[in-house]
Amino acid sequence: MRRRKALVDARIARASQERGVLIVNTGNGKGKSSAAFGMLARALGHQMRAGVVQFIKGAFSTGEEAFFRRFPEVSYHVMGEGFTWETQDRGRDVAAAKAAWAKACAMLEDPSYQLVILDELNIVLKYEYLDTEEVVFRLSARPPAQHVVVTGRHAPQALMDIADTVTHMQMVKHAFEAGIRAQKGVEL
């Protein structure tokens, strides 16, 4: 354990940079958005100003939206029209994605936002509702101290390449596969 402690202490000493990080939560497993909202709770504990833009969710209210809207330091925007298989209207989905991206860009240009969550942005990129190169450029040009979390399945490689942290959630088992509906406090 002494040797291990020395190795860990040396790694900590080398981590001397202090700047905003870009985090990507992707994969087919549950927990991508939940992890992002856990970071939002942590940021609020540090009196940080935060912004949330939800790109897909929007057809139903969620517990995280109801909770985080209580905080004046959180700018919360549900901009989606629901899951892509529900809308069945690519033009409408693209227009919704562009409106959400405009809101996100305003946050990404504003250094007073210390944390920005771009929930389900990866889905928008997968379906090419937005240009991945533009998104990567804007994320790279954000204020130096700003943290950003991008969620959703199928993160594009270009986004993962510029990210500081990428977590790939892997599903092992899910209640829905056993016929259990989405539950308040768990998925909603």
Side-chain angles (χ1 to χ4, degrees):
M1 281 296 164
R2 270 179 262 187
R3 183 175 180 272
R4 183 173 188 164
K5 179 181 175 5
L7 291 171
V8 171
D9 287 348
R11 289 182 70 199
I12 290 170
R14 284 193 305 269
S16 60
Q17 293 183 53
E18 190 166 326
R19 63 171 176 79
V21 294
L22 173 59
I23 298 169
V24 174
N25 294 335
T26 193
N28 291 333
K30 181 176 170 18
K32 298 173 288 292
S33 296
S34 299
F37 289 115
M39 289 183 62
L40 178 55
R42 182 177 290 150
L44 289 172
H46 290 286
Q47 292 83 45
M48 295 169 74
R49 182 172 185 220
V52 176
V53 178
Q54 292 190 292
F55 282 82
I56 300 294
K57 297 165 185 163
F60 53 89
S61 61
T62 62
E64 61 265 19
E65 178 188 356
F67 180 76
F68 288 115
R69 282 195 186 274
R70 298 176 190 171
F71 296 88
E73 56 269 59
V74 177
S75 180
Y76 203 110
H77 303 275
V78 180
M79 308 285 296
E81 300 227 354
F83 294 108
T84 52
W85 61 85
E86 294 288 346
T87 60
Q88 297 293 313
D89 185 339
R90 181 174 173 81
R92 202 169 90 195
D93 291 340
V94 169
K98 287 182 177 181
W101 181 239
K103 183 66 72 178
C105 285
M107 292 177 185
L108 294 171
E109 293 168 0
D110 184 345
S112 74
Y113 285 98
Q114 296 162 288
L115 172 66
V116 176
I117 296 174
L118 304 175
D119 191 38
E120 303 292 354
L121 175 60
N122 291 333
I123 298 297
V124 167
L125 297 174
K126 176 188 188 283
Y127 288 115
E128 299 179 346
Y129 297 166
L130 295 174
D131 180 64
T132 299
E133 285 183 33
E134 178 191 343
V135 170
V136 166
F137 173 78
R138 293 287 190 125
L139 290 170
S140 298
R142 73 189 191 280
Q146 189 180 74
H147 306 295
V148 177
V149 183
V150 177
T151 71
R153 296 174 182 214
H154 311 290
Q157 189 62 50
L159 179 59
M160 291 191 289
D161 288 346
I162 66 161
D164 298 291
T165 300
V166 177
T167 299
H168 189 274
M169 310 288 193
Q170 179 182 346
M171 182 175 66
V172 175
K173 187 177 182 180
H174 196 291
F176 182 71
E177 300 300 321
I180 300 171
R181 290 182 177 202
Q183 301 293 304
K184 287 183 179 178
V186 179
E187 288 93 8
L188 302 174

